[in-house]
C-alpha cells in the first residue's frame, strides 16, 4: 500500500484500538458496565477492521493475471466495504442489543473508578490516533473540505480510519456520559441508554462507509483536475487535433484507465497516427502518473454524426471536446 493509503494512520489506529479494547474489557469485568462491554467489542471490531484494510492493501499489490488483466487494485475497495459490514454488525447491532438488555434489566455499576478511568485513558489514546489520521489525510486532502475528502477520495483507507476514529471518540464520550449519569442517579438504565446511543452512532457511520465504498466498487471516473490534465496532454494540435469522446475509470486508488477516441486528419498516414498516439500516451502518463492503462482510437471527427446524437460522447458521464476548427468533418 502506498503512503497515500494511510498505512501509518492504520497502524496507529490498530495499536490504539488493541490497547483500548483490553482496557475496556477489564473495566467491564470489574464494573459490570454494559457501555464498557459495548465499547470493548467496538474497539475489538475496529482492530479487526484495521487488519482488513492492511490485508486489502497487501492483496491489491498482486500482479495482473490472464484472469484479472487489470490487476487487483479494487481489492482495497472490497476490504473497505467489509469494514462497514463489520462495523454495522459486530459494533452497532451488538451495542443496540446490549443497551436494550441493560435498559430491560438494569443494575448498578460497581467499582466506578474502573470504567471512568479507562474511558479517560481511551479518549486520550484515541485522540492521538485521530490526530495521526488527520495529519495523514491533510497530506492528500489539499483544499477540499473534510466532507468532500471523505466523499471523493479514491483511496478508501484514510476516510475509513477518520470515520472510525471520530466514531470511537464520540462513542467514548457517550459511554462516559452514560456511566456518569448511572453513577450520579444510581439508575443503571442510563448506562443502557448510553450503550444504545453508541450502537446508533456506529450504524450511521457504517452506512456512510458502505455508501461511499459502494460507489468506488461500481467504478468512479477520474477527478475533474486529472481529467483536464489528461485532455490537455492528449491533444498536440498537429496530428491529434481534438478529442471526440473520452472516458476514465479507476481500477484502483492509484490505477486509472483512460479510453478515448481522438480526432486526426483524413490524410495522415498510419505511421504518423501511430507515432502521435504513442507520444500522447507518454504525455498523459507524465501529466497523470496513475494513468496506467490507456487506449486511444483514432477517427475522423464528424460534426454531422455528433449533431444527430450518434456520437458516443452523448452518453451520460462521457467527456467531450471538439477538434480544432480545421479538422476534416468527413466520416
Amino acid at each position: 500500500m502506498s503512503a497515500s493509503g494511510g498505512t501509518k494512520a492504520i497502524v496507529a489506529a490498530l495499536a490504539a484500538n488493541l490497547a483500548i479494547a483490553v482496557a475496556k474489557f477489564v473495566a467491564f469485568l470489574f464494573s459490570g458496565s454494559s457501555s464498557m462491554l459495548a465499547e470493548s467489542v467496538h474497539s475489538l471490531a475496529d482492530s479487526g477492521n484495521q487488519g482488513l484494510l492492511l490485508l486489502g492493501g497487501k492483496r491489491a499489490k498482486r500482479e495482473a493475471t490472464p484472469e484479472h488483466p487489470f490487476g487487483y487494485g479494487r481489492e482495497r475497495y472490497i476490504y473497505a466495504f467489509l469494514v462497514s459490514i463489520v462495523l454495522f454488525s459486530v459494533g452497532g447491532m451488538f451495542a443496540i442489543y446490549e443497551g436494550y438488555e441493560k435498559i430491560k434489566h438494569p443494575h448498578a455499576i460497581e467499582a466506578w473508578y474502573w470504567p471512568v478511568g479507562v474511558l479517560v485513558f481511551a479518549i486520550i489514546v484515541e485522540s492521538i490516533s485521530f490526530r495521526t489520521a488527520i495529519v495523514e489525510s491533510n497530506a492528500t486532502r489539499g483544499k477540499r473540505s473534510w466532507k468532500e475528502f471523505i466523499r471523493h477520495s479514491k483511496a478508501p483507507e484514510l476516510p475509513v480510519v477518520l470515520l472510525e476514529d471520530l466514531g470511537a471518540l464520540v462513542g467514548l464520550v457517550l459511554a462516559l456520559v452514560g456511566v456518569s449519569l448511572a453513577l450520579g442517579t444510581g439508575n443503571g438504565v442510563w448506562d443502557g441508554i448510553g450503550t444504545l446511543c453508541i450502537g446508533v452512532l456506529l450504524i450511521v457511520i457504517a452506512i456512510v462507509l458502505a455508501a461511499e465504498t459502494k460507489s468506488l466498487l461500481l467504478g468512479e471516473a477520474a477527478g475533474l483536475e486529472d481529467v483536464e490534465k489528461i485532455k490537455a496532454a492528449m491533444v498536440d494540435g498537429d496530428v491529434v487535433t481534438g478529442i471526440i469522446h473520452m472516458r476514465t475509470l479507476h481500477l484502483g486508488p492509484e490505477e486509472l484507465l483512460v479510453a478515448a477516441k481522438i480526432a486526426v486528419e483524413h490524410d495522415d498516414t498510419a505511421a504518423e497516427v501511430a507515432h502521435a498516439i504513442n507520444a500522447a500516451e507518454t504525455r498523459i502518463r507524465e501529466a497523470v502518473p496513475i494513468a496506467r492503462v490507456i487506449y486511444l482510437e483514432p477517427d475522423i471527427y464528424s460534426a454531422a454524426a455528433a449533431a444527430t446524437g450518434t456520437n458516443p460522447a452523448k452518453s451520460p458521464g462521457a467527456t467531450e471536446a471538439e477538434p480544432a476548427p480545421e479538422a476534416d468533418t468527413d466520416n
Side-chain angles (χ1 to χ4, degrees):
M1 190 188 307
S2 70
S4 64
T7 306
K8 183 178 179 180
I10 297 173
V11 173
L14 175 60
N17 281 316
L18 285 174
I20 293 171
V22 173
K24 288 175 180 175
F25 191 71
V26 171
F28 159 71
L29 292 177
F30 281 93
S31 67
S33 168
S34 66
S35 292
M36 284 292 92
L37 179 58
E39 277 293 308
S40 63
V41 172
H42 173 197
S43 294
L44 190 62
D46 280 353
S47 301
N49 288 341
Q50 273 96 55
L52 286 173
L53 294 177
L54 292 172
L55 178 61
K58 182 178 180 180
R59 290 180 62 84
K61 292 179 179 179
R62 290 179 295 167
E63 296 293 330
T65 64
E67 292 80 14
H68 298 89
F70 292 113
Y72 294 85
R74 288 196 182 184
E75 289 248 24
R76 287 167 66 178
Y77 300 152
I78 293 172
Y79 280 87
F81 189 77
L82 290 176
V83 165
S84 67
I85 296 175
V86 172
L87 195 62
F88 180 91
S89 57
V90 179
M93 295 304 294
F94 176 82
I96 287 179
Y97 170 78
E98 184 63 24
Y100 169 77
E101 287 295 316
K102 187 60 181 285
I103 292 174
K104 189 176 180 181
H105 306 290
H107 61 269
I109 295 176
E110 303 172 359
W112 64 269
Y113 43 83
W114 273 103
V116 172
V118 166
L119 285 171
V120 172
F121 163 77
I123 289 173
I124 294 172
V125 175
E126 200 67 63
S127 297
I128 295 173
S129 173
F130 190 41
R131 181 182 181 278
T132 301
I134 290 174
V135 171
E136 290 286 292
S137 299
N138 280 334
T140 58
R141 183 168 65 96
K143 296 181 180 180
R144 291 178 291 177
S145 67
W146 286 109
K147 180 181 179 181
E148 290 175 334
F149 175 71
I150 291 173
R151 289 195 62 187
H152 302 298
S153 177
K154 306 304 180 184
E157 292 84 4
L158 282 173
V160 168
V161 173
L162 277 169
L163 287 176
E164 276 192 347
D165 284 352
L166 177 61
L169 278 172
V170 176
L172 288 168
V173 172
L174 290 173
L176 185 59
V177 170
V179 169
S180 299
L181 288 173
L183 291 171
T185 62
N187 188 349
V189 169
W190 287 108
D191 188 28
I193 293 174
T195 307
L196 273 179
C197 293
I198 292 170
V200 172
L201 171 70
L202 295 181
I203 287 177
V204 169
I205 292 176
I207 291 173
V208 172
L209 286 177
E212 297 306 320
T213 50
K214 173 193 171 185
S215 178
L216 292 170
L217 279 170
L218 289 175
E220 289 189 356
L224 292 177
E225 184 178 348
D226 283 343
V227 168
E228 292 304 316
K229 289 179 180 179
I230 292 170
K231 288 165 63 176
M234 193 177 299
V235 179
D236 60 12
D238 183 16
V239 178
V240 182
T241 58
I243 303 170
I244 298 175
H245 65 87
M246 181 179 78
R247 292 175 178 82
T248 60
L249 177 69
H250 268 274
L251 302 173
E254 286 120 20
E255 296 176 88
L256 186 64
L257 181 148
V258 179
K261 181 172 284 191
I262 56 176
V264 298
E265 300 287 356
H266 72 281
D267 54 353
D268 289 331
T269 66
E272 289 173 335
V273 172
H275 176 75
I277 288 175
N278 291 333
E281 291 178 354
T282 300
R283 293 193 303 271
I284 291 171
R285 291 191 173 96
E286 289 175 351
V288 182
I290 66 171
R292 305 285 179 83
V293 183
I294 303 174
Y295 296 109
L296 301 182
E297 177 187 354
D299 199 0
I300 308 300
Y301 179 75
S302 171
T308 57
T310 58
N311 190 333
K314 297 298 182 181
S315 59
T319 303
E320 180 181 8
E322 291 192 3
E326 67 270 13
D328 195 288
T329 58
D330 295 332
N331 236 343

